[in-house]
Amino acid sequence: MTAETATPAAAAPAARPSTGRDWSDAVLNAYLAVFFAYLFLPLLLMVAAAFNASPTPSATDWQGFTLDWFRQLPRDQRFVQGLGHSLLIATGVIVLAIPLGLSGALILTRLQSRSTTTLYTILVSPILTPGIVLGVTTMIFWRDTFGVEAGLFTAAVAQATFIASYCMLMFMARLQRQDRVLEEAALDLGASPVLVFRRITLPFLMPTILTAAFISFLQSIENYNTTFFAIGSSWTLVTEIGSRMRFGLSPMVNAIGVLFVVLTVVAALIWAAARRRELARLASG
């Protein structure tokens, strides 16, 4: 090869980096940093305040490390009873919301009628209804119609009215991915509709049922507006915290928040591990 033929190749300029991609990556990284800081910084401050000896919740006025706020929680009877009430209501919500949501999803996905759109609008409407309205109307309805005074039962019913709609949407998304051929084949072979539901549809829906139960539990535990107006003279952990805000917050509230964060993370890890085992089992089978 002569020098004349080698010169153009050697003199070819190097490829210039794409500045547009660099700028887009920088903007995306900055946005993610701001987003995660906005999301997790308040949680970090709450956790720090739970271990601060200051009598008022603070992460900046540090007065020493302490675990006293966690030790005082079991001695606060209002908090302990409120937690028990919250767990009872959440259990009742799961018992009510899962069957109601599943029934609505089955009707909407199996019913071939012009009224399906109208029925869907009616069943989803509780999600759009303000929680105050749900709480007050539930309390008035059960008191005036059946003579049931406001309490844990009416709070569970009021919460289930809109939580069931969330469950219904989850079940509908799952049912729309189901292969109906298995159900039709079972019916053609003489199986009853109840047997088809129990042996084919219910196992297919079981992952969504567990997920909907977990979400229903979390929504019930943290609900304030609907619960406050439907529970009457009783209280839950959340409503008790809300009532104490009028007199100033205690660091025990931060301690409760830390415990809930820990339980949520542990539950998420358990669910993720169970999900991985299920996917591995399906892949191997």
Side-chain angles (χ1 to χ4, degrees):
M1 182 182 294
T2 63
E4 289 78 2
T5 58
T7 300
R16 301 178 64 182
S18 175
T19 57
R21 182 176 180 81
D22 294 340
W23 275 106
S24 62
D25 291 342
V27 172
L28 178 61
N29 293 333
Y31 170 78
L32 291 176
V34 173
F35 173 78
F36 284 110
Y38 175 80
L39 188 65
F40 291 107
L41 187 58
L43 292 178
L44 296 177
L45 295 177
M46 179 198 68
V47 172
F51 297 98
N52 188 2
S54 174
T56 57
S58 176
T60 56
D61 182 19
W62 190 257
Q63 299 184 14
F65 181 86
T66 184
L67 295 176
D68 289 342
W69 312 120
F70 292 91
R71 298 190 187 100
Q72 293 181 19
L73 282 177
R75 295 195 289 266
D76 193 312
Q77 293 301 315
R78 294 281 299 185
F79 276 157
V80 174
Q81 294 179 16
L83 177 60
H85 295 165
S86 298
L87 295 177
L88 286 175
I89 292 174
T91 303
V93 168
I94 293 174
V95 172
L96 293 173
I98 297 299
L100 290 175
L102 180 56
S103 301
L106 289 172
I107 292 175
L108 292 176
T109 54
R110 302 295 194 260
L111 181 64
Q112 303 295 331
S113 173
R114 295 179 180 179
S115 61
T116 302
T117 303
T118 303
L119 183 60
Y120 174 82
T121 304
I122 295 174
L123 295 178
V124 174
S125 61
I127 298 178
L128 307 177
T129 305
I132 296 176
V133 176
L134 292 176
V136 172
T137 53
T138 301
M139 182 266 294
I140 295 175
F141 173 80
W142 284 92
R143 183 195 63 191
D144 295 348
T145 306
F146 301 102
V148 178
E149 294 297 329
L152 302 183
F153 173 76
T154 54
V157 172
Q159 290 184 12
T161 54
F162 72 93
I163 294 177
S165 299
Y166 286 107
C167 297
M168 183 191 71
L169 295 177
M170 297 175 62
F171 289 133
M172 288 183 63
R174 179 72 172 176
L175 288 170
Q176 288 173 356
R177 300 196 302 269
Q178 183 185 16
D179 188 0
R180 297 289 304 278
V181 174
L182 296 176
E183 292 184 348
E184 295 172 356
L187 292 173
D188 291 340
L189 293 175
S192 64
V194 176
L195 182 61
V196 171
F197 176 79
R198 185 170 60 88
R199 300 294 298 272
I200 297 177
T201 307
L202 193 60
F204 177 78
L205 291 173
M206 189 55 62
T208 306
I209 292 176
L210 297 178
T211 303
F214 181 70
I215 292 178
S216 299
F217 179 84
L218 293 180
Q219 287 186 326
S220 174
I221 287 291
E222 61 86 24
N223 183 266
Y224 178 82
N225 291 338
T226 303
T227 307
F228 180 80
F229 288 94
I231 202 169
S233 60
S234 189
W235 69 95
T236 64
L237 182 62
V238 174
T239 59
E240 177 64 17
I241 293 174
S243 64
R244 294 194 185 189
M245 289 184 63
R246 295 175 296 175
F247 309 102
L249 285 178
S250 167
M252 286 192 295
V253 176
N254 297 79
I256 294 173
V258 172
L259 295 178
F260 272 103
V261 169
V262 172
L263 291 176
T264 303
V265 171
V266 171
L269 292 176
I270 293 174
W271 182 88
R275 183 63 178 170
R276 283 197 298 268
R277 287 197 298 269
E278 180 185 357
L279 294 176
R281 180 178 60 81
L282 293 177
S284 61

